[in-house]
Amino acid sequence: MHVFVTGASGWIGSAVVDELLSHGHEVTGLARSDSSASALTAKGAQVQRGDLDDLASIRAGAENADSVIHLANKHDWSNPAASNAAERASVQTIGDALAGSGRPFLFASGVAGLTPGRPSTEEDASPYSGPESPRGGAENLAFAFLERGVRSIALRFAPTVHGVSDHGFIAYIVAAARETGVSVYPGDGTNSWAAVPRLDAARMVRLGLENAPAGSRLHAVAEEAVPTRGIAEAIGRALNLPVASVATDDVAGHFGFIGNFFGMDLTATSTATRELLGWTPTGQSLIQDIDAGAYSA
């Protein structure tokens, strides 16, 4: 089918585009720069110029495709309100464009903060609703379009989608270790993160497009819980740095914004997703990736 992908040149999106093209789908990717457009063209994808603030371009891309995979996000940690507003506006625009068509609308979400105190599952509805909530309440907004004839499907990614050239959360933690000369973990280091290799996540997205029913919540999770102490120790080995604990109250001061996440339990299962899609992650674990040098080049 013809798939419109936002975030098509991003960390996850570029892998999703490769996965879709390699399985016979036609792709049009949203591109805000010449370099992103050139990269998409080189792969054999079509280009829709625009960005998250260009709602007319997003609408045109959605209207001209058989399905939409929305992966773009501003991730402006200095201005989360702007990121949340852009996410909500994009989801509203895509939903309106697809209304009444029965076409698939897959959108990026996350497992963070869904169920404090236990791993989240696909049965757990997002507690975030309304424009002032995290991600602008976009997951619940997208599911509201189910009643308007849209095949909405949530793509809940683990907090770390890891691999060589990752510039996400783990990269920030590695950068803090380089800057301070010590790899630290919060408190006793028993709080944990879910994790998934990038290519496994991309394959799950493609399988979800092809097979998931409307209203599905898909969890891109290969490892349910990787302790933060283990992450810090692997970073210490990779960078040849000492490893130490930092008081939980001091995590944000040490890491900056990422400390607000590194001090949390962000765990999730993916049992239902694996059973629904026949999806089995095959990539290296997060610790194996760090040990292999994915973050120390």
Side-chain angles (χ1 to χ4, degrees), residues 176-194:
R178 289 184 189 277
E179 182 177 348
T180 61
V182 60
S183 180
V184 305
Y185 54 87
D188 62 5
T190 56
N191 69 296
S192 302
W193 278 15

Side-chain angles (χ1 to χ4, degrees), residues 111-295:
V111 302
L114 293 178
T115 53
R118 66 169 175 83
S120 63
T121 76
E122 294 89 341
E123 294 299 314
D124 294 312
S126 171
Y128 306 127
S129 296
E132 305 303 320
S133 60
R135 298 187 74 97
E139 180 171 312
N140 282 313
L141 175 61
F143 281 143
F145 281 96
L146 291 169
E147 295 182 356
R148 296 179 59 189
V150 179
R151 187 181 141 207
S152 300
I153 296 166
L155 305 171
R156 289 178 171 176
F157 294 100
T160 175
V161 180
H162 56 86
V164 176
S165 299
D166 174 19
H167 52 270
F169 283 175
I170 295 298
Y172 283 105
I173 295 168
V174 170
R178 289 184 189 277
E179 182 177 348
T180 61
V182 60
S183 180
V184 305
Y185 54 87
D188 62 5
T190 56
N191 69 296
S192 302
W193 278 15
V196 65
R198 175 178 176 241
L199 297 184
D200 284 324
R203 183 160 47 87
M204 189 212 74
V205 173
R206 192 259 306 167
L207 290 171
L209 172 69
E210 295 171 346
N211 301 302
S216 295
R217 305 181 188 98
L218 305 179
H219 281 200
V221 171
E223 295 178 275
E224 176 180 324
V226 184
T228 53
R229 179 168 183 166
I231 295 172
E233 289 173 342
I235 293 170
R237 289 193 299 270
L239 301 182
N240 195 27
L241 293 175
V243 178
S245 169
V246 63
T248 303
D249 291 343
D250 296 332
V251 174
H254 181 87
F255 287 104
F257 83 90
I258 190 62
N260 296 322
F261 297 96
F262 203 42
M264 298 171 63
D265 258 317
L266 303 178
T267 60
T269 67
S270 58
T271 303
T273 299
R274 297 180 192 222
E275 292 176 352
L276 175 66
L277 302 180
W279 175 67
T280 301
T282 59
Q284 294 191 125
S285 70
L286 173 58
I287 300 304
Q288 287 172 330
D289 258 354
I290 297 172
D291 282 338
Y295 296 87

Side-chain angles (χ1 to χ4, degrees), residues 58-108:
I58 290 173
R59 183 179 184 92
E63 288 177 339
N64 293 325
D66 301 318
S67 58
V68 177
I69 300 177
H70 175 49
L71 301 174
N73 191 283
K74 285 190 173 183
H75 295 305
D76 184 353
W77 304 110
S78 65
N79 190 358
S83 295
N84 294 343
E87 175 68 358
R88 188 172 183 88
S90 297
V91 167
Q92 182 73 52
T93 297
I94 295 168
D96 286 339
L98 300 181
S101 69
R103 285 178 283 173
F105 175 24
L106 285 70
F107 56 93

Side-chain angles (χ1 to χ4, degrees), residues 5-21:
V5 181
T6 73
S9 58
W11 170 241
I12 299 174
S14 57
V16 169
V17 169
D18 292 342
E19 176 75 14
L20 293 172
L21 291 172

